[in-house]
Amino acid sequence: MRGSLGTLTATAIIGLLINTLSAQTSPATAQLVTGPAYTSPDGKAGPEFPNIDLIFQLRNHDGSPITAHPGDLQLFSLGQQIGTCIGIRPFDRTGYGITTLLLIDAGNSMQGTSPEAIHTAAAKFVAQARPQDKLAVLTMADRAHLEIPFGASQPITTQALGNLQARGGPTHLYDSLLDALALFNGNLPKRRQLLLISSGQDEGSQHAPDEVLLRAISLGVAINSINLAPDQPADLPVLQALSLQTGGFYLQAQSPEAVGGLIDAYIAATRTTPVAAFSLDHVIADGQLLPAKLHWQPGKLSAYAIVQTPKSSLSIFASNPWLVALISCFFVGMVLLALSFRRSPSRHELLPGRESPPSYSNANIKAEIEPRNPQFSAFFDAPSNGPFARLTIRDGTLIGQSFPVTSASFSIGALPGNQLVLPDDLTISGRHFTLHWENSVLSIEDSNSTNGTWLNRHRIPAGHHPLKPGDEIAIGHTLLVVERA
């Protein structure tokens, strides 16, 4: 009962916290946001694979939290369901750590605020960290400056917070955010938060907000903002958007003294964030990144997620079917060789007058050992007859649309200049893969992409690989099907 009351209290705090958002930041519809996924082959750093934990946030159109039930959540990959939720619990019951970077504005835009109140709030925030959490503190003006590194002891942290000073000068908000994001690395806990205390005003950054957004999403960092400006600076809507689009919160502090209470609410919100447990079906532990999509059935909402599957000792066979075939042929050959020795005629059976073993002509031998010609590819229409082929998107941002392949070298990627541009999928490289048409055969080649190209659920190595109608090509969160034009 006590634990339930604590959960209800935290939920109420989250609702009050999110309701402080202005009307500009409230999404038009309900919002589903995912965080990192946890799994482990030995159960030490997460549930034992094929079980995984997935952090998510479900918010109503006004920003208030929505309670999800396990039966309402499904996990998909490449258009196929791979798991159903088997339970939901708050984050603080998982034992996972949080990586938090506290970024405090120390530029001219903060003149008139009380630095003592902010430092007291920051010290209170650091003091509430759990042993599994990792914290660092930076100040920013023209650039970000690391004041307290990850792993600093409590006495050193307390002393450093007491010595923080305003540096003055212009506040380059977006440059400093990129400096701060550069400190996140793979050795830190998976759940990553950046807590910004600032006036929300940029005074001459060389970098743009879009660069901050792309970098934060690629690193899985949620940007949480506490704005101290008494007025509404021009950059405020941008800061609000950065927070919401990365799965963070935006809060307005009425005074520096109010920062401590907002930090308390922020801590309660992060620790009660729901975590969904899934049991995966038909997923190979091959050490690869698995593009997934979390679906909330009642509201028909989806959000993308990335699952890092563990490296299994058997994954080399699962990801390399040719190796399985080679080993199988070896054992079959050894068995046949053993049988041939067992059944070979003895010397006295081959004496004159005895019947000799049957002989085989070269033609017969050739007919026995010559493999059948498998259909690795199919012929596509020549250019004079129209497009070479057609790509239909079965899953992704452009789901349902079809695109003709109209040139002998047809590139697909996220940036303009490709024959097919797939926007709004940050897991797709600028130039991801290319289709080649030669001698009526269509083939695919990965363009050294970051996250790889999958053909019929197998990651393709370097080089050209022939295609046939019905083949499925997966890149990032997008699934394409090859069809005849």
Side-chain angles (χ1 to χ4, degrees), residues 110 150 179 186-187 229 245 274 281 297 309 337 341 390 434 447-448 460 476:
M110 293 290 284
F150 290 112
D179 290 341
N187 296 324
Q245 293 183 38
D281 298 321
Q297 182 60 35
T309 62
L337 183 62
F341 277 114
R390 184 176 300 276
T434 303
S447 302
N448 196 26
I460 62 173

Side-chain angles (χ1 to χ4, degrees), residues 111-459:
Q111 289 183 352
T113 61
S114 172
E116 292 80 11
I118 297 175
H119 297 169
T120 300
K124 185 178 181 181
F125 172 72
V126 171
Q128 295 188 48
R130 304 167 302 167
Q132 63 267 41
D133 297 333
K134 298 295 181 182
L135 298 175
V137 179
L138 291 86
T139 58
M140 68 175 181
D142 55 335
R143 303 294 299 211
H145 180 265
L146 182 62
E147 304 286 351
I148 303 172
F150 290 112
S153 65
Q154 188 70 37
I156 293 177
T157 300
T158 303
Q159 180 181 0
L161 286 173
N163 295 332
L164 292 182
Q165 299 291 332
R167 289 190 280 148
T171 299
H172 293 176
L173 178 60
Y174 309 127
D175 292 347
S176 298
L177 282 170
L178 285 173
D179 290 341
L181 291 171
L183 295 179
F184 290 96
N185 60 68
N187 296 324
L188 298 167
K190 282 186 176 182
R191 190 176 183 192
R192 302 169 176 181
Q193 306 273 336
L194 191 152
L195 180 57
L196 172 67
I197 301 176
S198 171
S199 66
Q201 185 174 355
D202 180 72
E203 299 171 322
S205 286
Q206 297 181 359
H207 296 278
D210 286 348
E211 296 179 70
V212 177
L213 177 63
L214 291 172
R215 185 61 176 160
I217 292 177
S218 67
L219 292 172
V221 177
I223 298 177
N224 303 276
S225 307
I226 297 178
N227 178 40
L228 284 168
D231 53 1
Q232 298 289 316
D235 299 293
L236 190 57
V238 177
L239 191 57
Q240 293 172 333
L242 283 175
S243 296
L244 286 180
Q245 293 183 38
T246 57
F249 300 109
Y250 171 84
L251 305 170
Q252 177 68 51
Q254 301 303 320
S255 66
E257 290 72 23
V259 172
L262 293 178
I263 285 180
D264 287 341
Y266 160 76
I267 293 173
T270 55
R271 292 185 180 177
T272 56
T273 303
V275 180
F278 286 89
S279 179
L280 303 186
D281 298 321
H282 312 298
V283 176
I284 299 173
D286 57 2
Q288 300 291 337
L289 293 175
L290 176 70
K293 180 187 287 188
L294 178 65
H295 185 68
W296 181 56
Q297 182 60 35
K300 292 182 169 41
L301 295 178
S302 297
Y304 292 119
I306 294 292
V307 178
Q308 174 70 63
T309 62
K311 188 73 171 178
S312 168
S313 58
L314 298 178
S315 61
I316 186 173
F317 300 106
S319 59
N320 296 284
W322 60 268
L323 185 58
V324 177
L326 183 62
I327 295 175
S328 299
C329 290
F330 172 78
F331 280 107
V332 169
M334 293 297 293
V335 171
L336 293 177
L337 183 62
L339 290 175
S340 67
F341 277 114
R342 182 176 180 182
R343 298 178 59 184
S344 59
S346 61
R347 183 181 178 186
H348 73 277
E349 290 178 321
L350 297 180
L351 293 175
R354 298 281 185 175
E355 183 179 356
S356 302
S359 61
Y360 296 91
S361 65
N362 289 337
N364 289 333
I365 295 176
K366 182 178 180 182
E368 291 289 332
I369 66 173
E370 188 176 67
R372 299 178 184 271
N373 292 324
Q375 186 181 4
F376 290 109
S377 61
F379 292 107
F380 289 81
D381 293 335
S384 59
N385 297 330
F388 304 110
R390 184 176 300 276
L391 296 176
T392 298
I393 299 180
R394 295 285 177 83
D395 196 9
T397 57
L398 301 179
I399 186 171
Q401 300 188 40
S402 294
F403 300 89
V405 179
T406 54
S407 60
S409 181
F410 192 86
S411 63
I412 294 93
L415 295 178
N418 290 287
Q419 279 73 22
L420 174 56
V421 178
L422 299 173
D424 304 323
D425 188 341
L426 297 175
T427 57
I428 294 179
S429 298
R431 186 183 180 96
H432 202 105
F433 73 88
T434 303
L435 297 181
H436 301 280
W437 189 91
E438 185 177 6
N439 298 325
S440 298
V441 173
L442 192 68
S443 63
I444 183 173
E445 179 186 22
D446 182 74
S447 302
N448 196 26
S449 63
T450 301
N451 295 317
T453 301
W454 273 259
L455 176 60
N456 297 327
R457 294 184 170 269
H458 294 285
R459 186 168 184 168

